[in-house]
Amino acid sequence: MAEVLVEGRLDPRSIVLRISDQVPQIGLLLAVMLYQRSVEAGLYLALAAVTIGYSILEYLRFRYRLTDEALEITSGVLVRRERRIQLDRIHDLAQTRTLLRRVLGVVTVSVETASSVGAEAKLDALTPVQAQTLREAIERITALGKKGAPETVADETPLHRSRPFELLLLGATNNRAGLVVAALLLVLNTATEFGRERSAQGLIVLLRYLEQEGSRMGPVVAIAGAVFVFMALGWIVSAVLTWVKFAGFTLTERDGVFRRKYGLLTTQEQAVPRRYVQILRLEQSVLRRLVRLVVVRADNAGSALDPKARQTGVDVFIPATSRAAAEAIVPLVVPGVDPVAPYTRTSGTLWRRWTFRATVLAGAVAGTLLLRGDAGWRVVVAGTVLALLPTVALVAGLLAHRRLGFFVDSDARCLAVRFGILGIYRAWVPFDRVQCVTLYATPFDRFAKVRHLQLVVTGGATLRLGYVPVETAEQLRRTLMGEVGEAGEAETTSTHLPAPAWIG
């Protein structure tokens, strides 16, 4: 018979929360009642009383019980619901405190499993003491703490704390408005390098021109100024909202469980067990490279199933940090991995294909323009397209080829992938997380003797690696899937796979 470890019900203040959820309906009923001033007022008042009474009954009928096997939750007034969640399925016992819950002194505990999108169950609301007791009991008897684990729980080890300035920079680089404003500020900064005297002279010339052409340029300047102000305000709002969301972010670790705490108005506390991390990612967009920020993401089974994970920040492991600090976190999440190991580049087919496609497109555009007539402007545009488009594609392709690479760490049993053009993106996936490896190729890929790999991990998250030579791609697939070779043992690879002949 299962031993009962913790048993209880929600805090009485949860009644206030349930009633507050019905405030719009109750307020509407009261407004109608005051306006009617008739016999119907009694009916509206009765409906409001029923709503409040139902909230009280929901509280009275809610029970939770933790045994050494499962978390059992009983709820419902007219329809009774009994939910049993096995402890070995629980991978996150998250806590959320909105502004109202902070005022009331309660928290919402969300029970999340690897098989669910979002919360499997919610306990809204418990006192912080109740929530902590429930968490520690689960950690003692699962691997969050396995059976037979010590009765005492180890202390948490602090790993990272985000600084307010980093969070403001994170928000400032979240949207394209930040890119445009940053570019304008860069141009302004470059202009000032010519000296104050020249800048002042240039400003005087500009003011005189606007004065002379004021009637025609006035609306244009006004529109341009409004657009700039609008984008700047959006930039500022994005920075502030990001800071409010992740304010006070801390990352700690205890017994293989990472815990994130953050939030200014609505506080969040989320746990990520190491064994549930499927893919660890380090991301640096173009702007974040300029300000030297890295975002660390951890795809786990729950976040991978959530299509809004990127928007809601479920997969954010560290919102903003330096490159060195991010690389120091990698071996803590994926034990034994070397975060700065050299990568093997993939095939040069990538940049050659991009250049070829751009050349064909440029030729088609230029030919279309010239066939419509020999006007001077058409010749200029056609020549510009023919010169510019293949050149841009060539440069972008070379940058992408330079970034695209992989590294197989046989000791840590992990695959590292790097990609990007102006930004840098890196990812690590342990072999045992990979559920499926797909090799695919277009007719052009088969002609170039390259393959693209798509890895699917537990929960559905994916990782792609393109333009890999055929032999190397096959070896990667066998290694990741642990297929058995002729000797009857699972094949392994060396730390570095043999480099193709075209690699210098």
Side-chain angles (χ1 to χ4, degrees):
M1 185 175 179
E3 178 186 357
V4 178
L5 303 176
V6 179
E7 189 173 15
R9 61 171 51 177
L10 301 178
D11 188 85
R13 283 166 284 191
S14 64
I15 299 174
V16 178
L17 294 173
R18 284 178 166 77
I19 293 175
S20 68
D21 292 338
Q22 305 299 325
V23 163
Q25 294 87 331
I26 296 175
L28 178 62
L29 291 173
L30 292 176
V32 173
M33 180 187 69
L34 294 174
Y35 176 76
Q36 292 278 339
R37 295 184 181 180
S38 63
V39 178
E40 296 177 0
L43 176 60
Y44 295 126
L45 186 60
L47 289 174
V50 167
T51 301
I52 296 173
Y54 191 83
S55 299
I56 296 174
L57 287 176
E58 280 188 313
Y59 159 74
L60 294 174
R61 299 286 283 175
F62 193 100
R63 291 282 194 282
Y64 69 90
R65 184 174 68 168
L66 177 68
T67 69
D68 57 358
E69 296 178 353
L71 175 62
E72 301 171 355
I73 299 174
T74 304
S75 61
V77 178
L78 300 178
V79 178
R80 296 289 288 167
R81 298 180 180 86
E82 296 182 0
R83 181 168 296 176
R84 179 184 172 88
I85 306 173
Q86 294 296 126
L87 293 186
D88 58 2
R89 292 179 57 212
I90 297 175
H91 80 267
D92 192 353
L93 207 61
Q95 294 185 22
T96 305
R97 301 182 72 184
T98 62
L99 189 58
L100 177 58
R101 285 162 179 78
R102 291 173 66 182
V103 171
L104 294 176
V106 295
V107 300
T108 298
V109 176
S110 301
V111 183
E112 298 180 1
T113 66
S115 62
S116 65
V117 178
E120 182 83 25
K122 283 189 177 182
L123 305 176
D124 190 14
L126 303 177
T127 65
V129 174
Q130 285 178 303
Q132 186 65 21
T133 300
L134 185 61
R135 178 189 292 279
E136 291 181 354
I138 290 178
E139 289 178 349
R140 279 197 301 268
I141 59 177
T142 64
L144 297 181
K146 297 179 181 177
K147 288 186 178 180
E151 289 295 322
T152 58
V153 179
D155 294 334
E156 291 186 348
T157 302
L159 300 178
H160 178 78
R161 183 178 185 88
S162 293
R163 295 175 296 173
F165 183 67
E166 290 177 333
L167 298 176
L168 287 172
L169 286 178
L170 175 70
T173 55
N174 263 346
N175 52 32
R176 292 185 177 89
L179 178 62
V180 175
V181 174
L184 291 174
L185 293 177
L186 180 63
V187 170
L188 179 61
N189 181 65
T190 304
T192 59
E193 293 179 359
F194 288 98
R196 293 184 180 180
E197 183 177 350
R198 292 186 180 181
S199 298
Q201 291 175 353
L203 181 60
I204 292 172
V205 172
L206 177 61
L207 291 175
R208 286 177 179 174
Y209 176 77
L210 292 177
E211 182 180 1
Q212 295 173 358
E213 303 292 333
S215 58
R216 288 185 294 177
M217 294 295 295
V220 176
V221 173
I223 293 173
V227 170
F228 179 81
V229 170
F230 178 78
M231 295 178 66
L233 287 176
W235 192 37
I236 294 171
V237 168
S238 175
V240 172
L241 289 179
T242 301
W243 174 75
V244 169
K245 178 179 180 179
F246 290 109
F249 181 94
T250 59
L251 176 69
T252 59
E253 185 267 341
R254 179 172 63 190
D255 294 333
V257 180
F258 300 94
R259 182 164 293 116
R260 302 164 294 179
K261 300 179 182 178
Y262 58 91
L264 184 63
L265 300 179
T266 298
T267 59
Q268 304 276 354
E269 183 175 344
Q270 300 164 336
V272 181
R274 181 185 289 116
R275 73 179 190 274
Y276 282 114
V277 175
Q278 308 299 317
I279 304 175
L280 184 69
R281 305 176 191 266
L282 268 58
E283 301 181 350
Q284 272 189 297
S285 63
V286 181
L287 279 179
R288 286 170 186 157
R289 285 192 67 195
L290 293 176
V291 296
R292 299 181 180 180
L293 278 186
V294 177
V295 177
V296 183
R297 297 184 183 273
D299 290 333
N300 57 70
S303 67
L305 287 169
D306 185 358
K308 297 182 179 179
R310 290 280 166 149
Q311 288 76 18
T312 58
V314 172
D315 63 338
V316 174
F317 199 72
I318 298 178
T321 186
S322 65
R323 177 175 176 174
E327 290 175 346
I329 290 292
V330 173
L332 299 178
V333 182
V334 187
V337 76
D338 182 4
V340 294
Y343 288 81
T344 298
R345 291 182 188 174
T346 58
S347 172
T349 302
L350 185 153
W351 66 265
R352 290 192 289 267
R353 177 171 297 176
W354 285 20
T355 306
F356 175 75
R357 288 175 176 174
T359 302
V360 172
L361 178 60
V365 172
T368 302
L369 288 171
L370 294 176
L371 287 175
R372 292 190 175 185
D374 57 354
W377 70 268
R378 287 195 179 94
V379 174
V380 172
V381 172
T384 303
V385 170
L386 279 173
L388 189 60
L389 195 56
T391 302
V392 171
L394 173 62
V395 173
L398 288 173
L399 287 174
H401 168 61
R402 181 184 177 187
R403 299 271 184 250
L404 185 58
F406 65 93
F407 174 76
V408 177
D409 193 327
S410 57
D411 295 330
R413 294 189 58 77
C414 176
L415 172 68
V417 174
R418 181 187 65 190
F419 57 95
I421 299 178
L422 296 178
I424 301 177
Y425 303 87
R426 292 180 285 171
W428 290 263
V429 54
F431 294 170
D432 58 3
R433 306 296 198 270
V434 179
Q435 300 297 307
C436 174
V437 178
T438 302
L439 300 183
Y440 59 94
T442 66
F444 297 102
D445 294 325
R446 291 194 292 271
F447 175 77
K449 297 182 179 180
V450 295
R451 297 291 184 268
H452 305 277
L453 287 84
Q454 177 171 282
L455 284 61
V456 180
V457 299
T458 305
T462 60
L463 183 64
R464 292 179 176 85
L465 176 62
Y467 299 97
V468 181
V470 175
E471 297 81 3
T472 306
E474 286 290 346
Q475 187 178 355
L476 271 175
R477 184 185 63 80
R478 292 194 299 270
T479 300
L480 292 170
M481 298 307 297
E483 294 183 359
V484 177
E486 295 180 0
E489 297 180 354
E491 294 186 4
T492 59
T493 66
S494 60
T495 304
H496 296 278
L497 287 175
W502 42 262
I503 294 181

